[in-house]
Amino acid sequence: MRILIEEYQYEVAAVKDILHGIDPLTNIEGKVSIHYVGYYYNSLLKDCVFILPKVLLKDDNGQEKVFGNKPEDIANLDEKNPLSQRERDFIYKFAVWIYRAIVVYKNDKRTDSSIIYHAQIAQVGKGQRRLSNTYLDILLSLIQFNRENQNFFFFILKNLHSGFNKINWTRTISTTTAIIRQNRPIYLNPVNKKRKINFDEELLVIFFSILNYIGDTYGFSKEISCQFDLIKGKQFETYLKGYGKTRLLQIKYKYFSDKALELWRLCYAFFDESRQVFINAEQKEYLLVQNFYVVFEAIIDELIGDKPLPDGMEKKQEDGKIVDHLFSAPSLIDGEAKQTYYIGDSKYYKLGHELTPESIYKQYTYARNVIQWNLDIFNTGGKTETGVRLRDDVTEGYNIIPNFFISAKMDRDFDYGKDGIEQTDRKKNKHKKEQFKNRLFDRDTLLLFHYDVNFLFVLSLYARDNISQKARWKNDIRRKFRKEIQEWLQKDYDFYAMRARPGVDSEEYIRRNFKNVVGKIYSPFADVKTYSLALDKKDPEGDNEDIKATLSEFFYVEPCRLGQHPDEVLPPANDNVAIKPTEHELALCVIKEGIHFDNAVEKMKQTGKLGIALNMNGATLQLVEGFTAAKYLIIHNKSNKYAAFYVDGKGPRLVSANEMADMVTTKKGASVYLVYNAELKAIPAFDELDFTPIAKSGDSYSPHLLSIKSLIKNHDV
């Protein structure tokens, strides 16, 4: 058996004979590389040659090696074999998986079959013996024997079952008692002919059990037409561990026909993985794929992507770029309520190869194109089948698009069963491109993650071509993939859930404070008035605490991990009604500073009552008459901190000191109070207010009755 590695630079002299029959690429330095993966028979050497994928290559101090050896040193495993038995066994099995993957790819009508080069694979017979026969040769020979010898099987079965269940009258009469009825003997327990051990049948059972095993393991078509109780599971494992060879040797000399002997040799070769299979190799045979990266893309797309692409998208985008993988799946923030697009690109590299700047830039472009595609659907009055809407019109924020690379990685233990996607161990596994700092929910903030997948697992899963196995893994890996990205994001950002406090119109607040919150908040939940706040942990602008403090005056703001339901951390939503003030309406402004401001606002939200202290003289009573026209109550601290309340329309009433209940007052110890009742579910929606004129007035601590227009910042004087 000869082994070559895809794209490795060999010295021409070292592999000249091995390359007989295919067209390699030679460079000006006398090196040669093969841009194929697969299998072919070298008629010059009378040996088979496997060209294995470059993912086996690993850089070792500037020298590319396979299993710690130079690829030249493993080119001829029969002549010089530096590999351990474990490594040799791996290559035998690995070649089968490569063969099966190419066959599945070739049979898929959606793929580019022009990169496949195929001629008849080995034929079993009495012809010329190969120098070595691979495990793949053995499997293919077993399958071929089954396909071409159905008449042989049925002939044996017919002979096996002839005469069974016939009554042995001699033994029945001599050993059992008859009942006489109407002068005729009746035997209730007749003796049948004994069935002797039939070695032809045992050989067929072993053969079809092998076919069943390689069908389950590698995905080959079983085509088992005989109804035998096959050897399976733990019992078959004992055959693989040595009992198969032992049992076949015990029954070897029971066969005389050529067909039976040929079948015995095939079964023995399977258990022995021997080189005793005779193969007609007069004709040229090969199964090769050029540009194996195309097959790797097809493998990943089959196992994680959507076919067809969601919402009518095409792989070839408007600018001519072709996206490898795209699917819709639960959003990173609220997977129950919303979905988003996941964009992926397969990177078929040698082990440890770093991403190129061109690849990173292209992947950002893919995301921009997908965002615009989604916007165009809604801008033209349409809607998506998946329900994905990347842009939130209220916050003008954009949902996070998971954008990722997937590279192949070889498991150190050659384990085909490790099925997870892991963060790559390359130098840089996360990339970010942004226009504005600290704006995660911005159209120009693009994140890119890099993962490795166990090449052996995805290769074997694709090669088996089992629909249910692929579907199960697709669902599992998408969940794991989402969780991995969520955990990565939470290392870089603090996430909060937000919901408006009683009396706050959230949409109006966002509109009036848009510049301060754009890109930082987004509405990803089923309740569109519950928002997500994301703040970069590095605090690049040094204002994270100020942002949270400001928002906390108008919203409940609580830490909420990605994927966590906001109702777990936030109080229930309220049924507040927003009130839009007009410029000519009046507001009664009351000053409270420091801790007194916080206490007054909190008590006002509980009781809804505000008492203005009065002295019963002529001047004061005249002032009271003007105060009755106020529609709004504003408690402020002379600066930008305030709380606004709407009067319920019944007007204030005079209350004596001894009638005072627990409420906010402007002054303790007054004889009479003018008491207002606020409607707490009616929330005033103000523009930005300016209390500078009050702060500068000579009597700043007295209540002030002002028009809304005079309080609006930068109003026309």
PDB file of all heavy atoms in Angstrom, residues 611-615 620 665-668 670 672-674 703:
ATOM      1  N   GLY A 611     -48.617  67.603  48.788  1.00  0.00           N
ATOM      2  CA  GLY A 611     -49.221  68.700  49.542  1.00  0.00           C
ATOM      3  C   GLY A 611     -48.364  69.950  49.488  1.00  0.00           C
ATOM      4  O   GLY A 611     -47.189  69.910  49.870  1.00  0.00           O
ATOM      5  N   ILE A 612     -48.939  71.073  49.008  1.00  0.00           N
ATOM      6  CA  ILE A 612     -48.250  72.368  48.974  1.00  0.00           C
ATOM      7  C   ILE A 612     -48.608  73.127  50.257  1.00  0.00           C
ATOM      8  O   ILE A 612     -49.788  73.391  50.534  1.00  0.00           O
ATOM      9  CB  ILE A 612     -48.674  73.195  47.747  1.00  0.00           C
ATOM     10  CG1 ILE A 612     -48.443  72.389  46.459  1.00  0.00           C
ATOM     11  CG2 ILE A 612     -47.920  74.515  47.708  1.00  0.00           C
ATOM     12  CD1 ILE A 612     -47.004  72.078  46.179  1.00  0.00           C
ATOM     13  N   ALA A 613     -47.603  73.469  51.073  1.00  0.00           N
ATOM     14  CA  ALA A 613     -47.840  74.177  52.340  1.00  0.00           C
ATOM     15  C   ALA A 613     -48.295  75.603  52.061  1.00  0.00           C
ATOM     16  O   ALA A 613     -47.691  76.315  51.254  1.00  0.00           O
ATOM     17  CB  ALA A 613     -46.570  74.176  53.181  1.00  0.00           C
ATOM     18  N   LEU A 614     -49.403  76.040  52.743  1.00  0.00           N
ATOM     19  CA  LEU A 614     -49.960  77.381  52.531  1.00  0.00           C
ATOM     20  C   LEU A 614     -50.102  78.109  53.878  1.00  0.00           C
ATOM     21  O   LEU A 614     -50.296  77.496  54.925  1.00  0.00           O
ATOM     22  CB  LEU A 614     -51.346  77.287  51.872  1.00  0.00           C
ATOM     23  CG  LEU A 614     -51.419  76.617  50.494  1.00  0.00           C
ATOM     24  CD1 LEU A 614     -52.868  76.545  50.034  1.00  0.00           C
ATOM     25  CD2 LEU A 614     -50.579  77.379  49.481  1.00  0.00           C
ATOM     26  N   ASN A 615     -50.020  79.465  53.792  1.00  0.00           N
ATOM     27  CA  ASN A 615     -50.355  80.320  54.922  1.00  0.00           C
ATOM     28  C   ASN A 615     -51.604  81.087  54.540  1.00  0.00           C
ATOM     29  O   ASN A 615     -51.687  81.651  53.450  1.00  0.00           O
ATOM     30  CB  ASN A 615     -49.220  81.298  55.244  1.00  0.00           C
ATOM     31  CG  ASN A 615     -48.014  80.568  55.814  1.00  0.00           C
ATOM     32  OD1 ASN A 615     -48.173  79.704  56.666  1.00  0.00           O
ATOM     33  ND2 ASN A 615     -46.820  80.948  55.329  1.00  0.00           N
ATOM     34  N   THR A 620     -51.439  84.644  49.599  1.00  0.00           N
ATOM     35  CA  THR A 620     -51.313  83.207  49.378  1.00  0.00           C
ATOM     36  C   THR A 620     -52.545  82.651  48.707  1.00  0.00           C
ATOM     37  O   THR A 620     -52.463  81.840  47.799  1.00  0.00           O
ATOM     38  CB  THR A 620     -51.081  82.491  50.715  1.00  0.00           C
ATOM     39  OG1 THR A 620     -49.900  83.013  51.315  1.00  0.00           O
ATOM     40  CG2 THR A 620     -50.939  80.983  50.502  1.00  0.00           C
ATOM     41  N   THR A 665     -44.765  66.538  51.046  1.00  0.00           N
ATOM     42  CA  THR A 665     -45.132  67.933  51.311  1.00  0.00           C
ATOM     43  C   THR A 665     -43.955  68.844  51.007  1.00  0.00           C
ATOM     44  O   THR A 665     -42.800  68.427  51.020  1.00  0.00           O
ATOM     45  CB  THR A 665     -45.536  68.122  52.791  1.00  0.00           C
ATOM     46  OG1 THR A 665     -44.432  67.764  53.621  1.00  0.00           O
ATOM     47  CG2 THR A 665     -46.737  67.269  53.144  1.00  0.00           C
ATOM     48  N   THR A 666     -44.280  70.112  50.728  1.00  0.00           N
ATOM     49  CA  THR A 666     -43.223  71.083  50.455  1.00  0.00           C
ATOM     50  C   THR A 666     -42.611  71.610  51.745  1.00  0.00           C
ATOM     51  O   THR A 666     -41.465  72.080  51.748  1.00  0.00           O
ATOM     52  CB  THR A 666     -43.779  72.257  49.652  1.00  0.00           C
ATOM     53  OG1 THR A 666     -44.869  72.855  50.378  1.00  0.00           O
ATOM     54  CG2 THR A 666     -44.254  71.802  48.287  1.00  0.00           C
ATOM     55  N   LYS A 667     -43.367  71.511  52.833  1.00  0.00           N
ATOM     56  CA  LYS A 667     -42.880  72.066  54.096  1.00  0.00           C
ATOM     57  C   LYS A 667     -43.671  71.454  55.243  1.00  0.00           C
ATOM     58  O   LYS A 667     -44.883  71.283  55.144  1.00  0.00           O
ATOM     59  CB  LYS A 667     -43.053  73.589  54.099  1.00  0.00           C
ATOM     60  CG  LYS A 667     -42.509  74.278  55.343  1.00  0.00           C
ATOM     61  CD  LYS A 667     -42.752  75.787  55.251  1.00  0.00           C
ATOM     62  CE  LYS A 667     -42.263  76.488  56.502  1.00  0.00           C
ATOM     63  NZ  LYS A 667     -42.521  77.957  56.436  1.00  0.00           N
ATOM     64  N   LYS A 668     -42.995  71.109  56.287  1.00  0.00           N
ATOM     65  CA  LYS A 668     -43.658  70.552  57.453  1.00  0.00           C
ATOM     66  C   LYS A 668     -44.194  71.676  58.347  1.00  0.00           C
ATOM     67  O   LYS A 668     -43.655  72.779  58.384  1.00  0.00           O
ATOM     68  CB  LYS A 668     -42.680  69.693  58.267  1.00  0.00           C
ATOM     69  CG  LYS A 668     -42.118  68.482  57.527  1.00  0.00           C
ATOM     70  CD  LYS A 668     -43.198  67.444  57.277  1.00  0.00           C
ATOM     71  CE  LYS A 668     -42.608  66.186  56.648  1.00  0.00           C
ATOM     72  NZ  LYS A 668     -43.657  65.182  56.376  1.00  0.00           N
ATOM     73  N   ALA A 670     -47.122  73.415  58.335  1.00  0.00           N
ATOM     74  CA  ALA A 670     -48.053  74.432  57.831  1.00  0.00           C
ATOM     75  C   ALA A 670     -49.448  74.142  58.364  1.00  0.00           C
ATOM     76  O   ALA A 670     -49.777  73.016  58.749  1.00  0.00           O
ATOM     77  CB  ALA A 670     -48.048  74.439  56.309  1.00  0.00           C
ATOM     78  N   VAL A 672     -52.306  74.743  56.600  1.00  0.00           N
ATOM     79  CA  VAL A 672     -53.184  74.283  55.512  1.00  0.00           C
ATOM     80  C   VAL A 672     -52.302  73.809  54.354  1.00  0.00           C
ATOM     81  O   VAL A 672     -51.250  74.398  54.077  1.00  0.00           O
ATOM     82  CB  VAL A 672     -54.129  75.408  55.027  1.00  0.00           C
ATOM     83  CG1 VAL A 672     -54.980  74.921  53.860  1.00  0.00           C
ATOM     84  CG2 VAL A 672     -55.016  75.892  56.160  1.00  0.00           C
ATOM     85  N   TYR A 673     -52.800  72.797  53.652  1.00  0.00           N
ATOM     86  CA  TYR A 673     -52.079  72.267  52.475  1.00  0.00           C
ATOM     87  C   TYR A 673     -53.017  72.203  51.273  1.00  0.00           C
ATOM     88  O   TYR A 673     -54.215  71.893  51.416  1.00  0.00           O
ATOM     89  CB  TYR A 673     -51.531  70.865  52.757  1.00  0.00           C
ATOM     90  CG  TYR A 673     -50.389  70.855  53.753  1.00  0.00           C
ATOM     91  CD1 TYR A 673     -50.637  70.782  55.127  1.00  0.00           C
ATOM     92  CD2 TYR A 673     -49.074  70.922  53.315  1.00  0.00           C
ATOM     93  CE1 TYR A 673     -49.592  70.778  56.043  1.00  0.00           C
ATOM     94  CE2 TYR A 673     -48.025  70.915  54.226  1.00  0.00           C
ATOM     95  CZ  TYR A 673     -48.285  70.838  55.580  1.00  0.00           C
ATOM     96  OH  TYR A 673     -47.258  70.839  56.489  1.00  0.00           O
ATOM     97  N   LEU A 674     -52.440  72.511  50.119  1.00  0.00           N
ATOM     98  CA  LEU A 674     -53.155  72.321  48.861  1.00  0.00           C
ATOM     99  C   LEU A 674     -52.711  70.946  48.320  1.00  0.00           C
ATOM    100  O   LEU A 674     -51.564  70.776  47.912  1.00  0.00           O
ATOM    101  CB  LEU A 674     -52.800  73.430  47.865  1.00  0.00           C
ATOM    102  CG  LEU A 674     -53.589  73.441  46.559  1.00  0.00           C
ATOM    103  CD1 LEU A 674     -55.069  73.711  46.799  1.00  0.00           C
ATOM    104  CD2 LEU A 674     -53.012  74.487  45.608  1.00  0.00           C
ATOM    105  N   PRO A 703     -42.574  76.548  45.437  1.00  0.00           N
ATOM    106  CA  PRO A 703     -43.194  75.930  44.266  1.00  0.00           C
ATOM    107  C   PRO A 703     -43.327  76.957  43.141  1.00  0.00           C
ATOM    108  O   PRO A 703     -43.605  78.139  43.381  1.00  0.00           O
ATOM    109  CB  PRO A 703     -44.561  75.481  44.782  1.00  0.00           C
ATOM    110  CG  PRO A 703     -44.399  75.394  46.265  1.00  0.00           C
ATOM    111  CD  PRO A 703     -43.426  76.473  46.636  1.00  0.00           C
TER     112      PRO A 703
END
